[in-house]
Amino acid sequence: MAKPDFVRPELTALMPAYKLCRDCYMGELAVKNRINYSQPSHNNGGGTGQAMMLSPYLPDPSPASESESMRIKRYNDYVTRAVFYNVTKRTVKAMTGEVFSKYPLLTLGQLDVLETDVNGAGQSLTQQAKDALTNLLLTGRGGFLADMPVNQTGASLADVRNRQLRPTITHYDSESIINWRYRKVGGVYKLSLVVLSESYVASDDGFEAKTGRQLLVLRLDDNDRVESEIYRKADGNSEWVSQGINSVTDNKGAQLTEIPFFACGSVNNDLEPDDIPIFDIAHLNIAHLRNSADYEESLAISQPTLAISGLTQDWVDDVLADGIAMGSRSGIMLPVGGKAELLQPDVNDSNMTAMKHKEDMMASLGAKLIELGGSTNKTATQSNNELAEQTSVLSTLANNISDALTKSVKACARFMGYDDKDLVVTLNTDFGFAKMTPEQRQQLLQEYQAGAITWAEYRGKLVENEIATEENPETAKSVIEQEQGALIYGGDNEV
């Protein structure tokens, strides 16, 4: 029996990593979310393996021999005190901010409606690209589906502007792309199958819309033509039921020969899972959380403790029956030979040291949240290599999304019968942290003064790094000479 919900094993293997990265991005409530978990006995002599609600990231610190109520109380306190220092989200936001510090270059031609509403639900193309970059950082994989309602009479520009008939582009994250295949058609390999898991409105009473899960299957038929099929589960039925097979056509009714789904990845723009850019930071973020939980618990249980010796039961009953008050305005009545003292455990800084070590590791992986205070001196070569590595990763992500979105927009144009030649979507790859340092600018000036580079080359570098704005080197030179002359001669003479 066909299994339309089959999930590729290489994707299944990465699901825990996806969840870890997404939970870290969501923050403290997500990483502390507790699920049913059967805690096994830790030894043969005690513990009954009581069921507890545990976070998948914070283990139960209690021995299994403790009573269930004691373990639950201790674990609740253990989780509550732990501090999640969300470096993951800050890093993702910072990297996304670098790409979108400049508005993407959009050349959409007659499809300019996509700029403000790309998916038919009011999302702008720029916002969709931003969401795609966030998901790419968290999972290393995603894709865009270009789609359009069928209309045999064709579509005019007015139809598009009035949204009566228009193409859309929908983004799918990695977890939603559950199956895919390629096959050789002629001399090239084409995407022959993609299965997308998505939600749909199962019922709506006017106030509450209940959603269900459906599978959208896009495939090439035996004649290498594109067809689509939707599977849903009927009420009370565990089997997937096909809602019918439809040909995927353009606005003239011609059946497509390529599936209009375009993958984007952190390495390659195919549907194979790629590296997860943020995983190492997220993994350290969770390890940091565990150190924090242990550190905060050690602080809680290492509070000063009053110890009194030399008391008899009669003295306790007669003199200390109302309890013991502590403080500068209170006193403790003791019998002859009695002794009272505060026990203060030695401070254990091992967890704090471990936390600081992980903060340094996260900082070295690109998390800019932690300030090292300039305590680490690096050579120019080391600094340049680190910038090049960061720029390379982020530039690859931006370029891959640009490529996938450009292909999607071109597919939309072909749906409409428009010319797709000059359509392009380009995300910014000119990042702030890749700008020239003052030392590099001084070196560039020295090279110009020494005749190693031309004025045009020198000026071009300044414009490229947004130090100067006038792009024409001759115009810039003329203006500079006039301004310098005005400063020298007080503005009375022209140079």
Side-chain angles (χ1 to χ4, degrees):
M1 181 178 294
K3 294 182 62 178
D5 59 342
F6 170 76
V7 181
R8 292 280 290 263
E10 57 265 51
L11 181 62
T12 302
L14 286 172
M15 287 297 189
Y18 292 164
K19 185 178 188 307
L20 182 145
C21 292
R22 290 196 183 280
D23 285 347
C24 285
Y25 182 80
M26 294 299 293
E28 183 158 322
L29 293 180
V31 297
K32 290 186 177 182
N33 183 43
R34 303 174 201 183
I35 58 176
N36 286 318
Y37 177 83
S38 180
Q39 176 74 11
S41 174
H42 292 288
N43 55 63
N44 296 327
T48 58
Q50 299 286 349
M52 290 180 62
M53 299 289 287
L54 300 184
S55 160
Y57 306 115
L58 289 173
D60 179 12
S62 300
S65 57
E66 282 186 351
S67 66
E68 179 183 4
S69 59
M70 179 67 75
R71 287 171 59 196
I72 292 175
K73 174 65 169 61
R74 180 182 178 185
Y75 188 73
N76 287 339
D77 292 341
Y78 182 73
V79 173
T80 300
R81 285 191 295 257
V83 177
F84 182 66
Y85 199 36
N86 200 340
V87 178
T88 302
K89 187 169 188 175
R90 293 270 185 113
T91 304
V92 171
K93 290 290 188 183
M95 296 182 80
T96 304
E98 284 291 340
V99 174
F100 290 92
S101 61
K102 295 181 181 178
Y103 198 78
L105 172 63
L106 306 176
T107 305
L108 304 176
Q110 294 173 298
L111 290 172
D112 57 350
V113 66
L114 295 177
E115 181 174 355
T116 55
D117 185 2
V118 70
N119 63 350
Q123 184 183 46
S124 69
L125 193 151
T126 298
Q127 185 59 55
Q128 185 181 76
K130 188 179 295 186
D131 291 346
L133 178 59
T134 297
N135 277 280
L136 212 55
L137 285 164
L138 295 174
T139 64
R141 178 171 173 267
F144 300 94
L145 175 65
D147 196 10
M148 178 177 167
V150 177
N151 184 335
Q152 303 296 334
T153 63
S156 66
L157 182 59
D159 291 330
V160 177
R161 293 193 180 281
N162 295 331
R163 293 181 172 85
Q164 295 174 358
L165 180 64
R166 50 152 306 183
T168 60
I169 300 173
T170 304
H171 174 256
Y172 288 84
D173 57 33
S174 185
E175 296 93 327
S176 299
I177 311 168
I178 64 173
N179 196 5
W180 61 95
R181 286 186 183 179
Y182 292 88
R183 77 167 179 235
K184 197 169 186 178
V185 179
V188 299
Y189 283 92
K190 284 186 176 183
L191 181 65
S192 60
L193 171 75
V194 62
V195 181
L196 307 172
S197 177
E198 57 186 20
S199 62
Y200 74 100
V201 178
S203 63
D204 189 348
D205 62 5
F207 293 95
E208 179 185 8
K210 295 183 179 180
T211 61
R213 180 182 175 224
Q214 70 178 19
L215 303 175
L216 172 59
V217 180
L218 297 166
R219 62 167 75 91
L220 293 181
D221 62 17
D222 295 337
N223 297 316
D224 297 328
R225 297 292 187 267
V226 182
E227 63 182 22
S228 68
E229 187 174 10
I230 290 178
Y231 287 87
R232 293 175 181 171
K233 287 185 177 180
D235 293 339
N237 191 344
S238 61
E239 299 295 330
W240 291 97
V241 178
S242 173
Q243 308 300 302
I245 299 176
N246 297 290
S247 297
V248 179
T249 64
D250 60 19
N251 70 307
K252 299 295 186 181
Q255 195 169 357
L256 302 186
T257 58
E258 292 186 0
I259 296 175
F261 187 83
F262 306 97
C264 58
S266 62
V267 180
N268 300 310
N269 271 8
D270 56 28
L271 285 170
E272 299 298 325
D274 283 341
D275 296 335
I276 305 172
I278 208 67
F279 176 77
D280 289 340
I281 291 178
H283 181 70
L284 283 171
N285 217 164
I286 291 297
H288 186 277
L289 171 69
R290 292 176 183 142
N291 289 150
S292 171
D294 292 339
Y295 177 71
E296 295 295 337
E297 185 182 47
S298 69
L299 290 180
I301 64 178
S302 62
Q303 299 295 323
T305 302
L306 177 65
I308 302 177
S309 60
L311 303 184
T312 64
Q313 187 62 48
D314 290 339
W315 187 272
V316 172
D317 294 339
D318 295 340
V319 180
L320 304 179
D322 295 330
I324 298 174
M326 297 179 60
S328 60
R329 297 185 180 182
S330 303
I332 303 174
M333 301 295 294
L334 299 177
V336 176
K339 183 179 179 182
E341 61 181 333
L342 282 175
L343 300 181
Q344 176 67 60
D346 293 335
V347 177
N348 185 351
D349 288 334
S350 59
N351 283 312
M352 175 61 74
T353 301
M355 290 166 63
K356 289 182 177 179
H357 177 58
K358 290 178 178 63
E359 289 168 7
D360 292 341
M361 293 172 70
M362 286 188 284
S364 69
L365 288 172
K368 302 302 182 182
L369 179 63
I370 312 301
E371 288 291 341
L372 299 179
S375 59
T376 302
N377 295 321
K378 300 179 181 179
T379 66
T381 301
Q382 288 174 322
S383 299
N384 288 340
N385 286 343
E386 289 182 5
L387 285 176
E389 182 180 357
Q390 279 190 316
T391 304
S392 175
V393 172
L394 197 52
S395 294
T396 299
L397 299 182
N399 288 331
N400 286 354
I401 292 175
S402 298
D403 179 67
L405 275 174
T406 296
K407 290 179 178 178
S408 300
V409 170
K410 287 178 177 290
C412 289
R414 292 193 294 272
F415 272 131
M416 303 299 296
Y418 298 157
D419 182 11
D420 67 350
K421 179 181 178 182
D422 297 322
L423 305 185
V424 66
V425 175
T426 305
L427 303 189
N428 167 52
T429 56
D430 186 15
F431 308 133
F433 54 71
K435 296 291 188 292
M436 295 174 65
T437 65
E439 292 77 12
Q440 290 171 326
R441 289 167 59 185
Q442 183 178 12
Q443 178 65 28
L444 184 69
L445 177 60
Q446 291 174 354
E447 290 172 351
Y448 167 64
Q449 292 173 335
I453 60 176
T454 66
W455 163 256
E457 291 171 326
Y458 172 70
R459 185 69 187 183
K461 273 296 182 182
L462 295 181
V463 172
E464 179 182 333
N465 286 269
E466 298 182 352
I467 300 167
T469 58
E470 177 54 60
E471 297 184 6
N472 187 301
E474 294 307 317
T475 302
K477 189 172 186 179
S478 175
V479 172
I480 290 172
E481 290 174 347
Q482 291 179 19
E483 291 178 346
Q484 289 178 339
L487 290 173
I488 294 173
Y489 299 107
D492 295 332
N493 298 300
E494 293 185 0
V495 179

